[in-house]
Structure formats: C-alpha cells, structure tokens
Amino acid sequence: VDANGIMTEQNLDGDPLNDARYLQHFCDLGTRAWRMTGLIHDQLTKGAPPTLDQVAAWQGDDLSVFALDLLPPLLAQQATLCPNAADDANADICDALETLAAWDKRQTLDSVGATLFNTWLTHVVHRILKQRIAPLVLGVVGGFLYNLGARDVVAWLTGRAPAPALDWFDDPKTADVKEGFGHHASAALTETLAQLRERFGVEPQSTWTWRKVHELRIDHIVFGDLTEGPYEMDSGPNSINASEYSGTEANGAVRKFPLTATSGAIFRFCVELAGDETRGVNVLAGGQGGHVAGAHWMTQLDKWLAHGNYPTALLRADVEAAAQETMAFPAGGR
C-alpha cells in the first residue's frame, strides 16, 4: 500500500506514529496507508480478496484516523468539563461531548461530530504550537505544521514515539504551572465552541453539519474568474479520501471558516488485472477537457464529489467505440 507516503523506511512497519520525528512534511503522514492496510487485512480474513468495487469504494473512505486516539482522552474529561448539563453555562460543552461520544468518526456531509472534532483538533494543535513557534512562522508553514503537529500530539499522547527533547504540552511562559494535554484539550473545546457559535449564532448544535464549514474550491492557476466552487466537501485530513487544509491563517492565527480543502485526489483510478477481462474505473476532479468552452469542462466533478466513477476503456477497440471527439496533433507541433 502506498498513499503519497514517505520514501524512507519510517512507515514500512505500518505504524505512522512510532518514530521520533517525521522527516517528510510534503508526504502523507502514513495514516491513509495504515487505514487502507487495515481494510485489506479485514477483507482477506474473510477468505476472499477485495473486489474492484470494494477498492473503488475505499477510495472514498472518510474515517478520521486521528479521532481513534484523540477522542478517548477528551471524552475522559467529560465529568469535569460538564458537571451539570442543566446549567446553561455548560450546555454547549455538554451537548458537544455527548455528540462526540456518539460520533462514528466518519466525516460525512451531515456529521456534526466531524465539525466539532476537526475544529477542536485545529485548536488543540494551534494552542500547543503557538507556545513555542512565532505567529509569522505559523502563518507561512501552517499547513505543514498542522499535519505534523497533529501527528506528534497523537504520538506523544499514546507513548508510541520516543519522548521529545521538549515537553511541547508545557507552556514555557508559565514556569510555575506544568500544562498537559488535558489542559489544552479542554481549553481548545471552549475555543472551538466559541468559534462555532460565532459562525452559527443561535442555531442548535444539531445544525452544525460538516457540509456547512468544509468546502472544495478548484482555483484556476491563471484566471481567477474561472475558479470553480465552492462545493460542499465530505471527508477530511488524514483519511483515505484526503481533504487537507491549513490550520492557520496567513498571520498565524487559528484557521477561520470555511475550511477550504487545498489537496485531495485529483484522479481516482482502480483496475482489476484479469487477462482479457481486465477492467477499470476512474473519475476526475474536473473533466476530460481542459478548455472552459469545451464540452468536457468539469463534467465529471459532480460524480467525483459523490464518489462515483466511469468505466475505463483500456483496449483500443473500446476506446474508439467510446470516443466522442478526437484531437489530432501533427508532427512538429504546428
């Protein structure tokens, strides 16, 4: 399994979190490969290899891998953070923790848990990093630091990586107090609910769905008026169906809404190698044609967003039979 992973031996053991430091911030953290390996293993234990349709469906998997490790320690503080659900001052916190406790860790469009968790995770990482990293640096490389910071928080918290030289949970500005993860987790939850209240106003938490804060924009690299979107976007960071976004603004402040995806699967392709019966499926995050006035500009985007696909014509006869138009390129490029 490979999912834009690091090209060293760090992730070959299948655990993306047990190394002292992660050396390739341009690579995926290893969570996607870990999740895909688990899905394949579970299917093989049933006595049959995965089918083409299964693998194509897995490309849209939206499980929040970091939630597996980070939700339990947050929920363990539920009694402290929510001593009285009837108290109006605690209502938002109690409702949020109740939602997160019941959340299936899936980042679907209608998931409130995805909104709460991903916003909270951004605040947790930002709180920890800003204690030692200047706002200017956070603003310039916030996208990289968000992912690496989230990865390191999980590694430190679960004890799966060697202890860092610095205690990143402890605020160096408060010499008389030693902060831990619990301090940042609870404070980040308060910050999360304040940000969401600012976004949603008096709307009940049940309306704070992921589709309302997480989006996709396809920016044209030359002409801004040809930018497509925004579109409602499911999934999120560190899932197989990756939808990464920076955790900071340009000034180093914590990320504001909307959470606009800046990376993801441009092209989804699956092929089943079976001799003469070889078949495949594919879909583009756009269209087959790159000209805005053409007949195939962005024609596949709706199906891509819905995790659908098209049969892939692999044999020459099938390609010619499926062709709707052709383009000829004379020798010499004239």
Side-chain angles (χ1 to χ4, degrees):
V1 170
D2 176 61
N4 300 106
I6 190 170
M7 296 187 70
T8 71
E9 63 184 19
Q10 276 192 293
N11 283 336
L12 291 183
D13 61 357
D15 189 340
L17 301 171
N18 62 354
D19 300 289
R21 55 187 57 84
Y22 197 75
L23 304 176
Q24 291 280 350
H25 60 74
F26 289 108
C27 296
D28 184 76
L29 301 181
T31 53
R32 291 157 59 195
W34 175 86
R35 171 65 173 158
M36 181 63 81
T37 300
L39 290 170
I40 294 172
H41 176 269
D42 290 346
Q43 176 59 32
L44 291 176
T45 59
K46 298 176 183 178
T51 65
L52 177 70
D53 292 339
Q54 277 181 307
V55 175
W58 289 343
Q59 288 183 328
D61 186 78
D62 57 17
L63 181 80
S64 176
V65 173
F66 281 162
L68 299 174
D69 286 311
L70 288 179
L71 260 187
L74 174 63
L75 295 174
Q77 302 182 70
Q78 190 162 0
T80 301
L81 296 175
C82 180
N84 184 3
D87 185 351
D88 290 341
N90 294 319
D92 265 351
I93 290 178
C94 295
D95 288 347
L97 290 171
E98 184 177 343
T99 296
L100 288 170
W103 180 42
D104 61 3
K105 304 177 184 63
R106 298 283 181 176
Q107 300 168 104
T108 59
L109 289 174
D110 292 319
S111 172
V112 177
T115 302
L116 291 168
F117 176 79
N118 284 308
T119 309
W120 171 78
L121 179 59
T122 300
H123 280 276
V124 166
V125 174
H126 188 265
R127 283 185 57 84
I128 293 169
L129 294 182
K130 74 176 183 179
Q131 296 178 143
R132 298 177 182 273
I133 299 177
L136 176 63
V137 178
L138 283 176
V140 173
V141 292
F144 301 136
L145 287 181
Y146 168 73
N147 285 324
L148 293 177
R151 176 259 180 210
D152 288 339
V153 166
V154 176
W156 300 332
L157 190 62
T158 58
R160 288 156 66 183
L166 294 173
D167 182 352
W168 282 80
F169 296 139
D170 186 31
D171 188 346
K173 302 181 185 65
T174 57
D176 57 334
V177 178
K178 185 174 179 61
E179 291 84 4
F181 175 79
H183 165 79
H184 295 291
S186 58
L189 183 60
T190 299
E191 295 168 355
T192 293
L193 294 170
Q195 183 181 3
L196 288 167
R197 271 292 163 215
E198 183 179 359
R199 166 65 176 82
F200 289 101
V202 298
E203 292 183 37
Q205 281 193 27
S206 59
T207 67
W208 298 0
T209 55
W210 191 224
R211 68 169 74 241
K212 294 181 179 179
V213 298
H214 186 228
E215 68 177 29
L216 170 71
R217 296 176 66 94
I218 302 179
D219 295 317
H220 196 283
I221 61 174
V222 179
F223 303 110
D225 58 342
L226 296 182
T227 292
E228 297 285 338
Y231 301 96
E232 297 173 347
M233 184 71 180
D234 60 0
S235 200
N238 315 116
S239 299
I240 293 177
N241 182 26
S243 180
E244 310 286 353
Y245 48 83
S246 174
T248 65
E249 298 292 324
N251 63 359
V254 72
R255 179 61 182 267
K256 298 177 181 178
F257 297 128
L259 306 176
T260 304
T262 55
S263 66
I266 301 300
F267 176 56
R268 299 192 186 114
F269 174 61
C270 291
V271 62
E272 183 178 46
L273 302 176
D276 293 339
E277 297 181 4
T278 293
R279 65 190 184 102
V281 292
N282 74 93
V283 66
L284 287 163
Q288 189 70 25
H291 196 291
V292 67
H296 301 285
W297 172 263
M298 295 293 164
T299 51
Q300 297 189 27
L301 182 58
D302 286 346
K303 184 162 283 196
W304 182 89
L305 287 168
H307 305 294
N309 52 51
Y310 298 89
T312 305
L314 296 172
L315 302 178
R316 183 182 185 93
D318 295 333
V319 172
E320 292 176 345
Q324 296 182 17
E325 59 183 275
T326 60
M327 297 178 66
F329 298 92
R334 294 189 297 273

